Amino acid sequence: MEEKRHTSLHYEKELQAIKDGLIYLGALTETAIRKAMKSLSDRDTELAREVIRDDDEIDRLDTDLEERCIKILALRQPTAIDLRFITTAIKITGHLERIGDMAVNIAEKAMQLNEEPQLKPYIDLPRMTDLVGGMIKDSLDSFIKSDLEQAEQVRRMEQVIDDLNEQIFRELLTFMMEDSKNIHRALLVMQVSKNMERIADHAKGIADMVTYMVTGECVRHRTCNMLE
Amino acid sequence: MKRNLFLKIFFSYLVIISLSFFVLHLLVKDKVDKIITARIEQELMHYAELVDLNAPQAISGHLQVISKISQSRVTLVNAQGVVFADSEKEISGLENHLYRPEIQSARLRGTGRAVRYSSTLGVDMLYVAVVIKDREKLSGYVRLARPLHDVRSAVEQVYQSIFLAMIIGAIVSLLVALFFAWRLSEPIRIMEEFTQRLRQGLPVGFLRLQTTDETKTLAENINYLVEELQDKIQLANEEKSKLMTALTSINEGVLILNREERIEFFSTSLAGILSGHYEDFLGKTLLESFRNVELQNAFQSFKNTKTGASREIALGGADPVIMNVSLSEVQGLPGEEKTMIVFHDVTRLKKLERIRTDFVANVTHEIRTPLTAIIGYLETLQDGALDRPQDAKRFIDIILNQARRLNRLVEDLMTISKIELGEVVLHFEDISLSEIADNVISLLEAGAAAKAIKIENHIPKDLPAVKADRDRLSQVFVNVLDNAVKFTPDSGYVSINSFAQEENLVVSITDTGGGIPREEISRLGERFYRVDKTRSRELGGTGLGLSIVKHLMMAHGGKMEIESQLGKGTKVSLFFPVNKG
């Protein structure tokens, strides 16, 4: 009896460590995209370099977390909710790692844009960054708290980001039509916006995994129900 | 409690009594048996000797009499063992009795006894035999037999009285036990109730006992302990409430992490700073509640080095709060080490710091720009331009212009520092806002007309007067209207309106200019803060106009507010406190 309690306590700690690791990774990626956007809006190339450097840490944490999850799968052979928790965690670290890569993409574009005069003052992009940062935070929150309502909110938010991306795209089109010299810069900004939109997609992916973890129901694709 | 005590006393009495009776039984039993048997034997012997053999014809009746008196069977046996008379049986059916033990023993010693199962009667019998002598010659035996259960019943009678005594003893001991149990357990029961109430945290008062023995001392000791305990509890509570008051009322946020690195205490001020719900953070880890990498790293490095550290960390996402975070260890019981984190909000300090450095940089920049122009043109003049009167005149005009600008700058700076130092003496008088506006409009009309801008004064003439300093108020209007004209494109509008709002009289100056981005509005009152850095300077501003307005309005007990929409225009509202006098 004593022995069993000890083991489960240890197991509990391992699960908590996975949780903590995910939050830490989430906070890192959120900081990364905020910094990447700041490097663009403040024209701070040094900050952009920092984002690219810090991505190594995100990659390292990603593999580390994944390894720990696999170890738990192998040694503890979790079942039911624990099993879904671990598999979800593995998927979430994948999403977060991709988000980190996109922050690097944005930072690279920022470095290129900083070489040239500013095309236009950025208003929608910082707003988008705040919303996307909030989505990452909320999606992880919903994971920690197993909060379906919050996961649903993140999914709804994704549509708002899509619309913002669309709006930025149209605005940049006018710049390009005005003057063909603008095209290069406008395309770079467009890529930044596109990257942001894809980060939002990943946040939504995390929210979908949370719904799966809590209910065991797949909401990722329209075809999910058909498969069942 | 009472029951247990009673049972204990009662059973110990019972055990003592039973034990003594048992020992008594062991000691007495054989003796009683022997004595009674011996007595009966003696009795039977006496009866045996009564048998008279001298009347052989009446012997049968004689035997009947003796048998009746002695309650026994009487048998006469001759020297050869042949039964010749019996009180209960026909002699013809009886076998030779010579070898019966009692007869044998009588033959040898004169008397004999034996206990034996009688086949004749089918019970255990006690047999007694006596020799009959006829002139010193053995002529036969008298044998008396009595069933043994007669003997036994005699013994049992003795035992019955002993058993009765035992029951009486047990009843007495029960009563005694009850009495002692009550006497002993009553104070103990009172103390038990008292301590029970104490355990449940009910008010207890004092423990009072009517006894004089050891329990009284015990009760006194309990009273003392209770008093001591209550004092300690009260002291601890007072200390705790003092500490909590201190922790919750200070501006700094305080957070305590327990050994499992979960939040154990969270001061309300911190909850306010981070606009989170108090309960949300209790029992959570640092990472869960703050989602901040820097804070987590600070905590990790503190855990590794165990030395108190303090660093500045930006918390929150979009609009970060800069916190000076210091970590320290809370000494508790061994294995209970906790970590205390103190958050000091330095956002305002940081902002002020930035404003100060910006100010120094701006002042030097603002002064250097006209100085560079002046020095440049003077050098040109020195290098020979003086000889070309046409150029010289143009240069001198520029130099004069720049010098005047420098002068304006210095004057503005002096005004502002005077206001800030409180050295400006305001001469309050009743002033009509409409009149002041008209005066200022007439000053600026020339400039406005050049850009075809219309300035409209909609302040009613009969608006109640405000108490203000005429010159300073003019300066406020000049600065605001000048800005409006400057930043409004050609053929725009500037209109001045007034309305009452709560305790204030509000004058709003609205233009149709380019507007100001939202994030810049909050910084507009700062010295040298310009929205559009190059354009403003081209237009000859010092960068101090709105700062002066802000300070002058504050000196008048009012305030300035700016609303703006990009591309639509800007509205500057001046709030004057209503003159109640």
Side-chain angles (χ1 to χ4, degrees):
Chain A
M1 192 65 203
E2 192 64 34
E3 183 57 34
K4 195 181 164 197
R5 239 175 69 198
H6 170 76
T7 323
S8 102
L9 201 70
H10 207 74
Y11 182 28
E12 199 61 42
K13 271 194 177 156
E14 283 175 15
L15 291 178
Q16 181 64 42
I18 298 282
K19 245 185 218 183
D20 281 351
L22 279 176
I23 300 171
Y24 189 81
L25 189 57
L28 268 184
T29 54
E30 203 194 319
T31 315
I33 64 166
R34 281 190 198 284
K35 274 187 183 168
M37 184 43 68
K38 204 167 154 56
S39 76
L40 179 65
S41 58
D42 289 4
R43 302 177 67 77
D44 186 345
T45 303
E46 193 39 54
L47 195 62
R49 287 209 186 89
E50 197 182 309
V51 172
I52 295 166
R53 256 203 317 278
D54 287 354
D55 189 52
D56 292 347
E57 172 70 3
I58 293 179
D59 291 346
R60 193 188 62 74
L61 266 174
D62 166 49
T63 43
D64 176 59
L65 266 175
E66 202 173 284
E67 226 163 76
R68 275 194 283 168
C69 285
I70 290 169
K71 216 170 187 178
I72 290 180
L73 280 180
L75 297 179
R76 305 279 184 194
Q77 296 175 359
T79 51
I81 183 77
D82 283 348
L83 178 62
R84 292 210 294 270
F85 174 84
I86 294 293
T87 48
T88 306
I90 292 177
K91 288 215 123 190
I92 288 179
T93 97
H95 281 301
L96 289 175
E97 192 271 333
R98 289 296 301 143
I99 292 175
D101 289 349
M102 279 162 199
V104 169
N105 282 348
I106 294 173
E108 281 167 359
K109 301 289 174 291
M111 278 163 73
Q112 287 184 45
L113 279 164
N114 289 349
E115 302 286 310
E116 298 177 50
Q118 192 159 348
L119 179 66
K120 68 177 206 76
Y122 303 117
I123 295 161
D124 282 330
L125 273 177
R127 203 149 74 88
M128 206 170 168
T129 313
D130 278 344
L131 292 176
V132 169
M135 278 174 79
I136 298 177
K137 186 179 267 176
D138 286 353
S139 64
L140 284 175
D141 254 341
S142 70
F143 172 65
I144 300 299
K145 294 193 263 183
S146 300
D147 187 342
L148 285 175
E149 179 56 37
Q150 205 165 14
E152 186 56 44
Q153 266 174 23
V154 172
R155 269 198 288 282
R156 278 200 295 271
M157 206 62 205
E158 201 254 350
Q159 191 53 50
V160 177
I161 301 292
D162 274 356
D163 294 347
L164 261 176
N165 181 42
E166 199 61 28
Q167 185 185 322
I168 290 171
F169 177 75
R170 278 196 304 271
E171 195 190 345
L172 289 169
L173 263 187
T174 61
F175 275 93
M176 289 193 262
M177 285 190 288
E178 244 171 47
D179 188 349
S180 59
K181 272 189 255 146
N182 289 340
I183 290 178
H184 179 239
R185 282 174 290 165
L187 278 177
L188 285 174
V189 175
M190 211 175 267
Q191 281 173 25
V192 169
S193 167
K194 184 67 197 162
N195 267 302
M196 274 295 168
E197 190 265 337
R198 282 172 66 194
I199 292 173
D201 279 347
H202 280 289
K204 175 176 171 282
I206 294 174
D208 288 343
M209 287 312 296
V210 171
T211 307
Y212 164 73
M213 179 181 82
V214 178
T215 62
E217 204 176 290
C218 171
V219 290
R220 272 176 292 166
H221 317 292
R222 267 183 303 126
T223 50
C224 277
N225 291 329
M226 289 185 229
L227 285 174
E228 279 171 16
Chain B
M1 177 75 192
K2 186 181 177 182
R3 202 190 189 86
N4 279 341
L5 197 64
F6 160 71
L7 284 178
K8 272 177 197 158
I9 294 173
F10 174 62
F11 275 116
S12 40
Y13 273 92
L14 212 60
V15 165
I16 290 169
I17 290 169
S18 325
L19 212 69
S20 50
F21 276 105
F22 181 67
V23 172
L24 190 71
H25 163 81
L26 282 185
L27 293 175
V28 162
K29 188 190 176 225
D30 281 356
K31 263 190 188 135
V32 170
D33 249 14
K34 260 183 203 149
I35 288 168
I36 290 176
T37 321
R39 204 183 46 124
I40 291 173
E41 272 171 34
Q42 207 64 47
E43 197 188 309
L44 291 178
M45 294 283 183
H46 286 303
Y47 287 125
E49 272 157 20
L50 283 178
V51 177
D52 187 4
L53 294 171
N54 295 328
Q57 58 277 57
I59 200 134
S60 175
H62 184 65
L63 282 184
Q64 288 304 326
V65 173
I66 289 189
S67 164
K68 209 167 212 170
I69 296 169
S70 66
Q71 295 172 339
S72 58
R73 174 186 164 202
V74 184
T75 315
L76 293 181
V77 182
N78 69 8
Q80 282 74 43
V82 177
V83 179
F84 64 89
D86 192 289
S87 62
E88 282 167 29
K89 292 276 159 96
E90 284 299 314
I91 51 168
S92 52
L94 294 169
E95 72 264 51
N96 194 305
H97 274 41
L98 187 64
Y99 295 104
R100 300 281 161 92
E102 67 275 7
I103 302 286
Q104 281 299 317
S105 142
R107 190 174 64 88
L108 294 173
R109 269 168 278 163
T111 58
R113 67 175 285 276
V115 175
R116 190 171 73 247
Y117 181 78
S118 158
S119 53
T120 325
L121 293 171
V123 289
D124 277 335
M125 300 286 279
L126 172 67
Y127 296 96
V128 176
V130 176
V131 179
I132 307 167
K133 283 188 174 158
D134 188 19
R135 280 162 249 127
E136 298 302 315
K137 190 181 170 282
L138 192 144
S139 63
Y141 310 92
V142 178
R143 192 188 72 167
L144 274 78
R146 189 184 273 188
L148 206 60
H149 56 78
D150 285 3
V151 180
R152 294 262 159 80
S153 73
V155 175
E156 261 159 30
Q157 264 174 20
V158 174
Y159 271 107
Q160 257 171 23
S161 27
I162 290 176
F163 188 65
L164 195 70
M166 211 167 104
I167 285 175
I168 290 168
I171 288 169
V172 169
S173 73
L174 182 79
L175 291 174
V176 171
L178 261 174
F179 176 70
F180 272 109
W182 180 79
R183 270 295 299 276
L184 256 178
S185 69
E186 182 62 14
I188 292 175
R189 195 184 53 76
I190 291 172
M191 284 190 271
E192 184 208 359
E193 264 178 25
F194 181 83
T195 46
Q196 192 67 34
R197 283 169 69 84
L198 198 67
R199 257 180 64 174
Q200 288 163 355
L202 297 168
V204 283
F206 273 102
L207 183 60
R208 286 181 212 289
L209 289 183
Q210 305 294 337
T211 55
T212 48
D213 56 6
E214 291 92 333
T215 50
K216 192 177 171 70
T217 339
L218 186 59
E220 277 167 5
N221 286 346
I222 289 178
N223 277 336
Y224 175 75
L225 286 178
V226 167
E227 212 176 323
E228 197 85 328
L229 189 68
Q230 279 172 345
D231 279 355
K232 290 247 165 68
I233 290 172
Q234 204 188 345
L235 205 68
N237 277 341
E238 275 172 17
E239 285 296 317
K240 195 183 169 196
S241 74
K242 260 191 241 168
L243 196 67
M244 290 308 272
T245 322
L247 279 180
T248 44
S249 58
I250 53 168
N251 271 332
E252 274 80 3
V254 179
L255 182 146
I256 295 174
L257 292 175
N258 63 13
R259 204 158 59 93
E260 275 85 43
E261 293 169 18
R262 288 177 184 282
I263 294 173
E264 190 181 67
F265 172 82
F266 199 91
S267 78
T268 41
S269 56
L270 190 51
I273 289 168
L274 293 163
S275 66
H277 292 292
Y278 184 73
E279 277 85 0
D280 270 355
F281 294 102
L282 284 181
K284 294 271 157 51
T285 61
L286 210 53
L287 202 51
E288 276 174 344
S289 28
F290 286 91
R291 298 297 171 77
N292 191 289
V293 175
E294 279 181 83
L295 185 62
Q296 182 67 13
N297 289 341
F299 177 59
Q300 286 297 341
S301 75
F302 168 75
K303 255 199 334 191
N304 296 335
T305 58
K306 282 283 170 207
T307 45
S310 131
R311 58 173 87 177
E312 268 163 23
I313 292 172
L315 294 175
D319 194 10
V321 188
I322 298 159
M323 291 280 188
N324 190 320
V325 179
S326 33
L327 296 107
S328 54
E329 200 176 348
V330 182
Q331 286 297 339
L333 299 168
E336 288 277 315
E337 288 81 11
K338 293 171 181 173
T339 311
M340 183 163 83
I341 306 178
V342 179
F343 296 81
H344 184 67
D345 190 345
V346 290
T347 316
R348 222 180 102 74
L349 266 171
K350 281 270 146 195
K351 198 180 159 197
L352 287 176
E353 211 173 277
R354 204 193 59 228
I355 289 173
R356 205 164 26 242
T357 48
D358 279 3
F359 176 66
V360 174
N362 282 329
V363 161
T364 43
H365 181 74
E366 294 293 335
I367 291 175
R368 211 183 51 200
T369 316
L371 273 180
T372 315
I374 291 169
I375 291 166
Y377 283 110
L378 282 176
E379 275 171 358
T380 320
L381 286 173
Q382 200 180 33
D383 289 350
L386 209 51
D387 303 331
R388 299 191 299 277
Q390 212 170 352
D391 283 343
K393 189 176 179 319
R394 196 162 59 87
F395 289 169
I396 285 168
D397 279 349
I398 292 170
I399 290 169
L400 188 62
N401 244 338
Q402 292 297 329
R404 277 191 184 135
R405 183 169 158 202
L406 208 54
N407 189 41
R408 240 187 353 260
L409 185 69
V410 172
E411 259 172 22
D412 277 357
L413 268 177
M414 272 166 67
T415 314
I416 220 166
S417 69
K418 264 188 197 160
I419 302 169
E420 278 188 349
L421 290 170
E423 281 178 3
V424 172
V425 184
L426 297 175
H427 303 283
F428 285 105
E429 53 186 304
D430 286 339
I431 288 170
S432 156
L433 286 171
S434 167
E435 189 194 323
I436 288 272
D438 277 342
N439 289 347
V440 172
I441 289 169
S442 65
L443 282 177
L444 298 171
E445 238 161 9
K451 292 175 78 179
I453 292 171
K454 249 186 156 166
I455 306 178
E456 290 164 357
N457 180 6
H458 296 298
I459 303 178
K461 296 266 184 258
D462 53 354
L463 196 75
V466 294
K467 278 227 183 293
D469 182 304
R470 183 175 291 276
D471 292 344
R472 300 297 173 192
L473 195 58
S474 297
Q475 197 175 356
V476 166
F477 274 84
V478 167
N479 285 357
V480 175
L481 281 173
D482 191 34
N483 271 351
V485 171
K486 253 189 239 165
F487 294 106
T488 301
D490 289 359
S491 56
Y493 282 101
V494 175
S495 67
I496 309 170
N497 292 290
S498 71
F499 53 92
Q501 190 188 53
E502 288 165 23
E503 302 257 293
N504 293 305
L505 197 61
V506 185
V507 174
S508 67
I509 294 116
T510 316
D511 63 41
T512 55
I516 304 159
R518 190 155 23 111
E519 53 271 25
E520 312 259 4
I521 288 176
S522 64
R523 296 198 62 186
L524 276 180
E526 288 174 25
R527 285 168 290 195
F528 297 117
Y529 190 81
R530 296 168 201 269
V531 176
D532 189 337
K533 291 171 179 71
T534 45
R535 207 157 77 90
S536 161
R537 210 171 283 126
E538 277 166 22
L539 293 169
T542 56
L544 290 169
L546 280 179
S547 187
I548 290 172
V549 171
K550 188 176 118 185
H551 281 99
L552 280 177
M553 287 309 293
M554 271 158 65
H556 277 91
K559 61 178 177 176
M560 173 191 77
E561 271 180 14
I562 298 174
E563 294 161 51
S564 185
Q565 252 185 314
L566 268 179
K568 294 245 173 94
T570 307
K571 181 170 134 189
V572 179
S573 304
L574 304 170
F575 290 71
F576 294 93
V578 167
N579 193 350
K580 284 186 190 122

